[in-house]
Amino acid sequence: MRRVLTTLMILLVVLVAGLSALVLLVNPNDFRAYMVRQVEARSGYELKLDGPLRWHVWPQLSILSGRMSLTAPGAALPVVSADNMRLDVALMPLLSHQLQVRQVMLKGAVIQLTPQTEAVRKPGEPVAPRANSLPDVPEDAGWSFDIASLKVADSVLVFQHEDDDQVTVRNINLTMEQDPHHLATVDFSGRINRNQRDLTLSLNARVNASDYPHQLTADIQQLNWQLAGADLPTQGITGQGTLQAMWREEQKQLELNNLNLQANDSALKGRASVLLGEEPKWVFDLQFDKLNLENLLPPQPVPAKEGDDAQAPGLPKQMRPVIASNVDAPDYNGLRSFTADILLKANAVRWRGIDFTNVSSQMLNHNGLLVISELSGQMGAGHISLPGMLDVRKDMAKAEFQPRLENIEIGTILKAFDYPIALTGNLTMAGDFSGDKIDADAFRHSWQGQAHVDLANSRMEGLNFQQLVQQAVERSSNVKAKENFDSATKLDTFTTDLTLDNGQLTLDDMQGQSSMLAVTGKGTMDLVKETTDTRFNVRVMSGWEGEGPLIDVLKETAIPLNVYGRWQELNYSLQVDQILRKHLQDEAKRRLNEWADKNKDSQNSKDVKKLLDKL
């Protein structure tokens, strides 16, 4: 045992002595000019090292430098700069005058991918069709250069495409291991804070850089992110997934294939690509197994009612955060800067409390002209289609949609958009609407359009037209009606033509029918003030007790009914007395005519005839 320890101590002394001799005999500054030349020869970039290079022996033989920078040819700013750099090198190759760098580590680096850091081609400089793939011929210096690993810690990345806003990625930690065939494994994490939103991102991937810079591929095996902040759901958005990415330098094209991503409880698969240029061209082909927009979009604000207090007295008004860069930008301004061909399909979509299935959408954006040729899906037992267009090429946006609804439950729609109307039924509608902004509040205030509406098996809570008419008749005559405790008006069919004009909804040619009622009428509704003024003619054909001439008249007579006021506090007025009075007058006239006809030779008969002619 003592011999073993003695041998180990001897080896340790020899190793320490060897390293000490190497540090004393080999000056790391001898590598400075060589590294600068090799970087320029292989990439064209200029490597600048400030201050002397020095050895760092333990726990890894390394070369330490002061401030460094890496600048593209002709660029105004360096693409990479760092306060210090560490090169972990192999010991044995140094003995034969070879510099084998096992790992490059940058700490506190600033990486700038902006127009100011891009290479600038000199006027008249020839453009090579492709870089030489053969190995460089080393100069007569007897040195070689190789990097197998890169590590970046606590660094910053600044990205900007042409005139777009800068995106800053902070707290970057990157580790890359590369084999001789330029196949690398990458671990990355960073954080982006922009527009009052915070995105934390991490990934690990396998990268193929064998044909870089002409082509770069990455198989991202694990991607995680967490997004929180302004104009997002309260709980934020958390997701993970996998994908394959490919960058083609000559075409400036990025392809994303085999997308398999999750965000909160939503999941998508598919592919996407973008061709970068003055006007980026996007192509999306995505399939959602489930798309829950309620967990991906911020909560919808409840529209304020006129006359209602928006805030309780004494409490400070809560303001939503404002994205500063978008304050003066026109609505949907971002659509002007690119073209896109979008194909979306979803097995299930949830939005505003509504569940859709088999959703399909096909859209084409051409620099601000968004054409939605298809947007359809199943809603319960019904079908909904919403093709249209959005034109934002001018300062004022213009939207046009042609909704087609078949057998859709109207109560679900009214509830989803916060309309306090207690109405249910199966809605079928064909319409044409236009406005300047696509949201529910703008639809209430500034949209226009027309539509034809068919409503089957409708039920309107709160007012029973049959009951109102029969109770009014009972109070004004001796006619009795069957007992009815239902507080709703039910119709088998109801049709109307509606016109929308800046919040004013006009209902024309209303016609409703059931076994007990026949209704006609017209009216208006104010979507902003949530008031109505409708005039119906109601004919009650059933529910009367007994038979008689008056009941027969009531079955054939339409009773005027006016319903008006706030949706939640409706008022009504009936004109039953006039109808009954007219019935009594007509009955009196009939009997007097019969008596006059029987006694036509008498003077009294002649007087009665003259009186009847005057009435």
Side-chain angles (χ1 to χ4, degrees):
M1 185 64 182
R2 184 177 299 175
R3 291 182 179 180
V4 173
L5 293 176
T6 302
T7 303
L8 292 176
M9 291 299 297
I10 294 173
L11 292 175
L12 180 60
V13 170
V14 171
L15 178 60
V16 172
L19 291 175
S20 301
L22 180 63
V23 170
L24 293 175
L25 298 177
V26 179
N27 186 354
N29 289 283
D30 294 342
F31 304 133
R32 178 195 298 271
Y34 169 72
M35 288 189 292
V36 171
R37 289 196 306 269
Q38 287 297 311
V39 168
E40 184 175 7
R42 292 172 179 255
S43 65
Y45 283 69
E46 177 188 359
L47 175 63
K48 184 177 180 181
L49 301 172
D50 296 338
L53 302 180
R54 59 190 186 278
W55 287 111
H56 184 269
V57 177
W58 185 261
Q60 166 70 41
L61 183 60
S62 306
I63 298 176
L64 302 182
S65 77
R67 183 169 181 80
M68 62 79 62
S69 65
L70 190 64
T71 307
L77 297 174
V79 65
V80 179
S81 60
D83 291 334
N84 55 74
M85 176 177 67
R86 190 185 79 193
L87 305 177
D88 295 339
V89 299
L91 174 62
M92 297 306 296
L94 289 175
L95 303 178
S96 57
H97 300 283
Q98 293 181 353
L99 178 64
Q100 182 177 351
V101 181
R102 291 179 173 177
Q103 176 173 272
V104 176
M105 180 176 179
L106 303 176
K107 187 171 184 179
V110 177
I111 306 167
Q112 300 185 80
L113 303 178
T114 66
Q116 292 77 19
T117 64
E118 292 182 354
V120 178
R121 185 178 294 113
K122 297 179 181 179
E125 182 181 3
V127 179
R130 190 175 176 88
N132 183 15
S133 60
L134 297 176
D136 295 328
V137 178
E139 299 182 7
D140 191 15
W143 299 100
S144 63
F145 187 70
D146 184 23
I147 299 176
S149 179
L150 172 66
K151 186 174 183 180
V152 179
D154 301 329
S155 300
V156 175
L157 167 66
V158 179
F159 175 81
Q160 183 183 22
H161 178 66
E162 296 182 350
D163 296 329
D164 294 341
D165 294 337
Q166 286 189 353
V167 178
T168 303
V169 185
R170 305 182 185 278
N171 299 340
I172 290 179
N173 290 281
L174 170 68
T175 301
M176 184 182 74
E177 301 288 342
Q178 181 180 216
D179 67 13
H181 303 289
H182 301 287
L183 301 177
T185 59
V186 176
D187 289 314
F188 170 86
S189 65
R191 182 175 61 86
I192 304 174
N193 186 278
R194 185 167 179 256
N195 291 339
Q196 302 181 46
R197 302 187 186 103
D198 190 84
L199 172 64
T200 301
L201 183 69
S202 66
L203 63 87
N204 59 72
R206 294 185 180 275
V207 179
N208 185 348
S210 59
D211 199 20
Y212 181 82
H214 309 288
Q215 181 172 297
L216 182 67
T217 61
D219 183 7
I220 300 177
Q221 300 172 329
Q222 184 63 47
L223 174 66
N224 297 281
W225 70 87
Q226 185 172 3
L227 179 63
D231 208 25
L232 289 169
T234 304
Q235 75 278 12
I237 300 175
T238 302
Q240 59 277 333
T242 61
L243 63 113
Q244 293 177 349
M246 176 182 293
W247 170 253
R248 304 179 190 273
E249 174 62 26
E250 281 76 11
Q251 297 85 358
K252 301 295 182 183
Q253 184 182 33
L254 175 64
E255 293 183 4
L256 304 177
N257 297 311
N258 297 328
L259 287 168
N260 189 352
L261 305 176
Q262 290 184 343
N264 290 347
D265 57 345
S266 299
L268 74 86
K269 296 181 180 179
R271 62 184 182 87
S273 66
V274 58
L275 192 63
L276 297 179
E278 293 184 2
E279 297 176 354
K281 298 180 180 179
W282 288 88
V283 177
F284 293 94
D285 184 1
L286 305 177
Q287 301 86 42
F288 294 86
D289 181 54
K290 180 181 179 181
L291 177 58
N292 187 352
L293 295 175
E294 293 184 349
N295 284 341
L296 298 177
L297 300 176
Q300 294 292 331
V302 178
K305 313 295 190 303
E306 289 198 5
D308 292 348
D309 293 333
Q311 190 78 18
L315 294 179
K317 186 176 181 179
Q318 299 296 322
M319 301 296 293
R320 292 182 61 188
V322 177
I323 306 304
S325 61
N326 294 332
V327 170
D328 299 323
D331 292 329
Y332 317 109
N333 185 55
L335 293 175
R336 300 178 183 179
S337 60
F338 68 94
T339 64
D341 189 353
I342 305 170
L343 180 63
L344 303 177
K345 293 185 180 297
N347 295 330
V349 176
R350 184 170 179 82
W351 178 61
R352 286 182 172 265
I354 307 176
D355 291 314
F356 301 91
T357 57
N358 300 324
V359 176
S360 177
S361 177
Q362 187 166 3
M363 297 177 281
L364 178 64
N365 176 56
H366 186 72
N367 302 114
L369 179 59
L370 177 64
V371 178
I372 306 174
S373 57
E374 180 188 9
L375 178 56
S376 62
Q378 299 294 125
M379 178 180 165
H383 181 267
I384 184 170
S385 177
L386 198 63
M389 57 84 66
L390 174 64
D391 190 350
V392 298
R393 293 173 294 181
K394 299 180 179 180
D395 292 339
M396 181 64 71
K398 182 181 180 181
E400 295 180 356
F401 286 89
Q402 298 80 42
R404 300 292 185 267
L405 284 70
E406 298 178 7
N407 199 31
I408 297 297
E409 173 53 56
I410 189 173
T412 304
I413 297 178
L414 294 174
K415 181 180 178 181
F417 290 94
D418 302 311
Y419 286 101
I421 302 176
L423 176 65
T424 60
N426 297 325
L427 172 66
T428 298
M429 183 183 77
D432 192 345
F433 295 91
S434 63
D436 58 353
K437 191 175 182 180
I438 304 176
D439 64 37
D441 191 57
F443 184 85
R444 293 175 185 256
H445 288 81
S446 59
W447 276 58
Q448 304 86 36
Q450 300 83 33
H452 178 76
V453 172
D454 289 276
L455 197 57
N457 302 319
S458 64
R459 180 184 176 93
M460 186 175 69
E461 300 290 344
L463 285 179
N464 186 331
F465 286 5
Q466 175 197 357
Q467 189 180 72
L468 293 177
V469 172
Q470 290 179 335
Q471 288 177 351
V473 170
E474 286 181 331
R475 289 192 297 267
S476 303
S477 69
N478 58 358
V479 175
K480 299 297 180 182
K482 295 179 181 178
E483 199 169 21
N484 184 357
F485 298 101
D486 200 344
S487 62
T489 298
K490 295 182 289 186
L491 295 173
D492 296 334
T493 61
F494 177 83
T495 63
T496 186
D497 294 318
L498 62 84
T499 301
L500 177 64
D501 185 12
N502 297 320
Q504 298 297 316
L505 185 66
T506 303
L507 305 173
D508 293 317
D509 193 23
M510 290 191 290
Q511 297 186 29
Q513 189 78 31
S514 72
S515 60
M516 305 185 72
L517 288 174
V519 177
T520 61
K522 62 181 181 178
T524 60
M525 303 179 73
D526 192 319
L527 302 185
V528 179
K529 297 180 180 179
E530 297 189 351
T531 60
T532 186
D533 185 6
T534 51
R535 293 163 297 283
F536 298 98
N537 293 312
V538 182
R539 189 158 55 93
V540 180
M541 300 178 295
S542 180
W544 304 102
E545 283 190 355
E547 299 291 337
L550 181 55
I551 292 178
D552 293 338
V553 171
L554 290 171
K555 290 181 179 180
E556 299 297 328
T557 303
I559 308 297
L561 170 63
N562 181 213
V563 179
Y564 59 95
R566 293 178 60 86
W567 294 346
Q568 294 176 309
E569 300 173 355
L570 291 175
N571 302 304
Y572 72 92
S573 63
L574 276 168
Q575 300 179 13
V576 174
D577 292 342
Q578 293 89 329
I579 299 297
L580 295 176
R581 188 180 301 113
K582 186 177 183 302
H583 170 70
L584 293 175
Q585 291 175 349
D586 292 342
E587 183 65 18
K589 288 181 181 181
R590 183 185 64 79
R591 294 187 180 186
L592 287 173
N593 271 319
E594 290 178 354
W595 181 86
D597 290 340
K598 290 180 181 179
N599 302 278
K600 58 184 176 180
D601 295 333
S602 67
Q603 183 61 38
N604 291 335
S605 175
K606 294 178 182 180
D607 294 338
V608 169
K609 283 288 187 180
K610 291 179 181 180
L611 178 61
L612 291 175
D613 291 339
K614 294 180 180 180
L615 294 176

